[in-house]
Amino acid sequence: MPEADDITITETVSDLALVALEQGLAARQGAADFAPFVLIESGGHCYIRAFAAKDDVVEQAAAFLARESDTTSTYALTYDGTVTVEGTPFDAILVIAGEPGADAFVFTQRYDAAASPIALIGDPALIGQHDSLLQKVP
């Protein structure tokens, strides 16, 4: 995954983001109805938490992670969406991945939903930064 010169992504975050993209693509491939999920690394183990509703998934994940903030070392929220590249929208799996005390990063993998099986378009990409979803409950 490309990294901009002015940002640093830890290997832990990058690795979990790749796993989340792979899991998201596998889930999207196997079902017409994709359920957003968050992967959580805690105590050396990886856990998954799926969300039934697709609306406000970032807010749902942030609320869930706030309750888990004391034990979570790394997280990756994975959802189905779209990205626009040079004015053209593409179906994509999006991942917001981060760790305590740092901003998160947004990764994506574009795909062709009309192909069977789903065909990947390009390579996984880092497309920006995001506010951390891992905030302690006051």
Side-chain angles (χ1 to χ4, degrees):
M1 282 187 205
E3 292 186 20
D5 292 338
D6 58 338
I7 60 173
T8 302
I9 302 171
T10 66
E11 188 174 336
T12 304
V13 169
S14 181
D15 288 351
L16 189 62
L18 280 173
V19 169
L21 283 171
E22 289 172 5
Q23 292 293 318
L25 287 163
R28 179 62 181 88
Q29 183 80 276
D33 195 26
F34 182 91
F37 61 89
V38 68
L39 291 178
I40 304 157
E41 282 192 355
S42 175
H45 300 294
C46 194
Y47 303 92
I48 190 167
R49 165 66 158 85
F51 299 96
K54 293 180 184 178
D55 297 330
D56 303 321
V57 69
V58 173
E59 291 82 8
Q60 290 178 61
F64 171 74
L65 288 167
R67 294 188 299 273
E68 302 295 317
S69 64
D70 288 338
T71 59
T72 299
S73 61
T74 315
Y75 65 89
L77 168 62
T78 309
Y79 59 101
D80 196 24
T82 59
V83 295
T84 302
V85 177
E86 298 177 358
T88 303
F90 292 92
D91 292 317
I93 298 297
L94 293 138
V95 171
I96 301 172
E99 56 195 348
D103 283 342
F105 298 94
V106 183
F107 301 86
T108 189
Q109 173 63 63
R110 295 177 292 154
Y111 65 87
D112 179 358
S116 181
I118 290 173
L120 302 182
I121 301 172
D123 293 320
L126 168 66
I127 60 172
Q129 288 182 266
H130 195 282
D131 290 338
S132 177
L133 299 180
L134 194 58
Q135 306 293 328
K136 292 187 182 234
V137 177

